[in-house]
Amino acid sequence: MIEEKLFIAGQWVAAAARLPVEDPSTGETIGTLAAGKAGDIDAAVGAAQDAFSGAWGAATAAERGRVLAKIGKAVETQADMLAELEARDVGKPLKQARADALALARYLEFYAGAADKLHGETIPYLAGYTVYTLREPHGVTGHIIPWNYPMQIIGRSVVGALAAGNAAVVKPAEEASLTALAFARIADEAGLPAGALNIVTGLGEEAGAALAGHPGVHHISFTGSTAVGALIQAAAGRNAVPVTLELGGKSPQIVFADADLDRALPFLVNAGIQNAGQTCSASSRLLLERPIYDQLLDRLAARYRALKVGAARDDLDVGPLISAAQKKRVESYIARGRGDGLAVVAEGAIASNAPSGGHFLPPTLFAGVAPDHVLAQDEIFGPVQVAIPFDSEEEAIRIANGTEYGLVAGIWTRDGSRALRLSRAVRAGQVFVNNYGAGGGVELPFGGTGRSGHGREKGFEALYAFTRLKTVAAFHG
Ligand code: NAI
Ligand code: MG
């Protein structure tokens, strides 16, 4: 049985209460986590402040980069161990879990290299003045992580904050905390100074709320639901602390009749079913131009029928959902679609050897869905896609922009001018032309508009959010 503790000030610390760790592929309890409370968050914030005022704060940018690079190498070397842990904890097929571990290593490589390339500017000003800007770390950053991509989100959030010189307090999701703790172990062994990274596992309403509202925290990044994001922003607002919110979406892929359908086909489906659809940037709406609607739907259906669902260790196309609660939530949407008479075009199949206690659900493709139907509006966060026909470019834009979200959009066309026009017209933080996701590159700034949140993570852009700018105007005559 796995028995985990909290990681505070470089020490493994016990907590009074414990939370179960479930394997979503089997429904079995495989261990327990420490349930951190407000007092543990206090201790972690204090440890981060000490590190910031101490060894970590004194490290040069190049030294920070060097230790992050060392952690990156260690993550890469231990990618199989991390993948197996994540596969058990989240239920994601092993191949997808391994890709997450390698993405974390790549974030460490990227931000290690960026650490000593982040700098201010000089500004031409009045005669007799020299004016320049300094990019200073905030101090203590708080990171509230969801369960769907723990390693990738630690990579894009925590690693960027560390590279910029902050000390971090991380609250992983109660459903999936194991790789965050493994990451702390690796970072510790690689020589990250004590207190630069602290991990407090526990419930959102307890440890998470305590972190979001802590007066000693100077920046919060949160990935998760829009409802909790609003709570985080309100809590941070009471301390006048900046936040980065990444809150998911209802991202469309718009397919025009002139598109390369052979190329588009795998992207259209994979973007909906990867990680069992539990992906903030999942493409849950497929907008298909009328002349190719029927033909493309047939091809999508054939792909759906070939999808196999099973235990993470069997490494099929789709694993279980994270929990019984999430499965119920997704099932209720599917039932609602059927109840409203929407056509299920095709479903995937649950493998005969899938454990009976696992939270499996066949991927489900709905067709002919009205753009304002709840299935085309709500973030379902499961392996469910809806196909929507459209008749003109204007209509496609109207439908694409017709939700409260705005995270990602895909545009499939061979008409270059149309691709450029639509890239401007769609409301999204990332637009992909004739692809979707661009391989998830860590270099590409990522974030939303509207109820998808605000602020950008990934790429160099994230480093600006993890620093604050100071302007120095010196008069020398
Ligand atoms: P959630 O927003 O409750 O959980 C995300 C993180 O926030 C977890 O670490 C959780 O412990 C923490 N948290 C929860 N309540 C908190 C509070 N009051 N104060 C501070 N932290 C708190 O998301 P949940 O319940 O796991 O999933 C519900 C839905 O949210 C999903 O079906 C999906 O639609 C959306 N979601 C979106 C994600 C994304 O990647 N954008 C990730 C996870 C969920
Ligand atoms: Mg929750």
Side-chain angles (χ1 to χ4, degrees):
M1 286 287 265
I2 295 163
E3 296 292 331
E4 287 288 8
K5 294 181 172 172
L6 310 173
F7 185 66
I8 299 174
Q11 305 292 319
W12 292 95
V13 183
R18 307 205 54 86
L19 296 169
V21 178
E22 189 197 41
D23 176 347
S25 294
T26 62
E28 285 161 10
T29 301
I30 56 171
T32 64
L33 295 174
K37 307 266 167 117
D40 301 302
I41 291 289
D42 264 344
V45 172
Q49 186 58 57
D50 289 349
F52 185 69
S53 317
W56 184 240
T60 65
E63 285 165 349
R64 292 198 304 270
R66 236 169 265 142
V67 70
L68 292 177
K70 208 168 154 206
I71 301 169
K73 285 280 167 227
V75 165
E76 202 178 335
T77 309
Q78 299 186 56
D80 286 338
M81 178 277 288
L82 289 166
E84 274 163 38
L85 201 57
E86 195 80 304
R88 277 191 95 189
D89 204 15
V90 179
K92 61 177 75 192
L94 266 173
K95 229 185 272 99
Q96 295 178 33
R98 193 174 150 78
D100 286 4
L102 294 178
L104 172 55
R106 175 71 188 118
Y107 277 110
L108 285 150
E109 181 183 45
F110 179 84
Y111 284 118
D116 61 0
K117 287 143 199 97
L118 178 66
H119 53 68
E121 298 179 322
T122 57
I123 300 172
Y125 194 52
L126 303 175
Y129 280 84
T130 295
V131 180
Y132 61 94
T133 57
L134 294 170
R135 287 224 161 256
E136 299 180 333
H138 293 288
V140 178
T141 52
H143 306 264
I144 299 175
I145 311 285
W147 41 261
N148 54 343
Y149 289 85
M151 285 192 279
Q152 293 223 30
I153 295 170
I154 284 170
R156 75 178 192 217
S157 164
V158 180
V159 176
L162 291 173
N166 300 283
V169 178
V170 180
K171 209 301 280 176
E174 46 271 54
E175 297 87 349
S177 293
L178 298 183
T179 51
L181 296 159
F183 175 66
R185 235 168 248 128
I186 291 172
D188 189 34
E189 281 165 17
L192 187 70
L197 171 69
N198 306 275
I199 315 274
V200 180
T201 52
L203 295 174
E205 312 82 81
E206 294 177 358
L211 181 59
H214 200 290
V217 173
H218 309 116
H219 180 280
I220 307 268
S221 35
F222 170 80
T223 303
S225 62
T226 301
V228 174
L231 295 178
I232 304 287
Q233 180 153 358
R238 283 192 282 281
N239 297 316
V241 163
V243 295
T244 299
L245 298 181
E246 202 276 273
L247 309 177
K250 194 69 186 173
S251 299
Q253 290 190 78
I254 307 168
V255 189
F256 287 91
D258 68 351
D260 179 347
L261 299 185
D262 292 340
R263 178 175 163 79
L265 203 58
F267 284 92
L268 296 175
V269 175
N270 290 348
I273 56 97
Q274 181 184 318
N275 204 33
Q278 304 166 120
T279 303
C280 46
S281 55
S283 177
S284 46
R285 294 185 297 154
L286 303 178
L287 279 48
L288 314 180
E289 200 174 14
R290 189 85 61 185
I292 51 153
Y293 182 77
D294 288 332
Q295 172 211 343
L296 191 51
L297 216 49
D298 284 347
R299 297 183 70 185
L300 290 167
R303 280 191 99 85
Y304 257 75
R305 283 187 209 105
L307 291 173
K308 292 272 171 300
V309 184
R313 62 164 189 275
D314 291 335
D315 210 6
L316 305 176
D317 305 302
V318 180
L321 297 183
I322 187 72
S323 61
Q326 190 67 16
K327 179 179 167 185
K328 213 168 137 199
R329 199 185 121 98
V330 178
E331 271 176 335
S332 77
Y333 277 108
I334 295 174
R336 202 150 157 199
R338 288 183 192 276
D340 289 348
L342 297 181
V344 171
V345 184
E347 286 178 315
I350 297 175
S352 54
N353 69 342
S356 60
H359 311 306
F360 303 105
L361 205 57
T364 307
L365 174 65
F366 283 95
V369 181
D372 61 351
H373 190 273
V374 65
L375 258 56
Q377 288 289 321
D378 285 18
E379 180 179 54
I380 296 174
F381 231 57
V384 179
Q385 287 179 297
V386 299
I388 305 172
F390 70 87
D391 289 299
S392 68
E393 197 175 305
E394 294 68 35
E395 190 187 11
I397 295 168
R398 201 165 55 242
I399 297 171
N401 291 345
T403 75
E404 293 183 319
Y405 292 102
L407 191 59
V408 174
I411 299 163
W412 295 90
T413 179
R414 284 193 170 98
D415 179 338
S417 301
R418 175 153 63 195
L420 293 174
R421 269 195 309 276
L422 261 89
S423 303
R424 284 185 181 269
V426 292
R427 207 162 58 103
Q430 282 189 333
V431 177
F432 297 106
V433 177
N434 293 328
N435 79 94
Y436 193 87
V442 311
E443 302 88 341
L444 313 179
F446 175 69
T449 60
R451 290 195 171 232
S452 293
H454 54 80
R456 296 293 176 262
E457 289 183 330
K458 305 181 64 170
F460 209 84
E461 189 70 23
L463 297 176
Y464 298 137
F466 289 124
T467 52
R468 54 190 176 207
L469 200 69
K470 178 185 278 175
T471 305
V472 181
F475 178 71
H476 41 68

